[in-house]
Amino acid sequence: ANIRSQQEANDVYDELTDRFGIPPASVYGLVEIALMRNTAMKLGIAEVKQQGTFVHFYVNEINMNHLIVLNEKMPKRATVKAGKRPCIAIKIMEESAIDTIRIIFNLS
């Protein structure tokens, strides 16, 4: 749960492999989710949820600089929803929802 970087994730994989052999795919998924949750928290994202063909990033505050970068890197894919729970919705294109999340996290 405390995985905060790709290097820490790799260390967990190495440790598990040393002790138990090559982990099943589900273990890789759990490590990836832990890394994504911690990355989201660091970026001020309270919740990430897929709804249909969009990934919604619920934030406490909309950062205009992030929106500018999103619109430059992912034109015509970002929608801002202001309200009680502000969120930025990103249209999923040819990549998977998980890959869309990775792209967003790498832009920040």
Side-chain angles (χ1 to χ4, degrees):
N2 289 327
I3 299 169
R4 301 199 190 293
S5 69
Q6 188 60 52
Q7 181 58 48
E8 289 181 6
N10 292 341
D11 291 345
V12 169
Y13 297 140
D14 291 344
E15 183 71 24
L16 289 170
T17 301
D18 287 346
R19 289 186 185 198
F20 306 108
I22 297 174
S26 58
V27 171
Y28 287 97
L30 290 172
V31 171
E32 184 77 13
I33 289 169
L35 178 58
M36 286 186 169
R37 283 184 177 182
N38 287 317
T39 302
M41 189 171 27
K42 182 173 68 175
L43 295 173
I45 299 169
E47 181 181 359
V48 178
K49 184 188 300 187
Q50 181 181 353
Q51 293 179 335
T53 59
F54 286 86
V55 176
H56 292 240
F57 296 86
Y58 292 92
V59 294
N60 296 324
E61 184 177 311
I62 302 288
N63 183 320
M64 294 309 289
N65 291 328
H66 287 161
L67 289 177
I68 291 168
V69 171
L70 281 174
N71 282 320
E72 288 173 355
K73 301 292 183 179
M74 304 177 93
K76 300 180 183 177
R77 291 179 63 179
T79 305
V80 177
K81 298 182 179 187
K84 290 182 183 178
R85 290 188 70 203
C87 113
I88 300 168
I90 304 294
K91 176 96 171 132
I92 301 167
M93 299 301 266
E94 60 275 350
E95 73 277 352
S96 69
I98 293 293
D99 288 335
T100 301
I101 295 167
R102 284 187 191 114
I103 291 167
I104 298 302
F105 286 173
N106 288 327
L107 291 177
S108 300

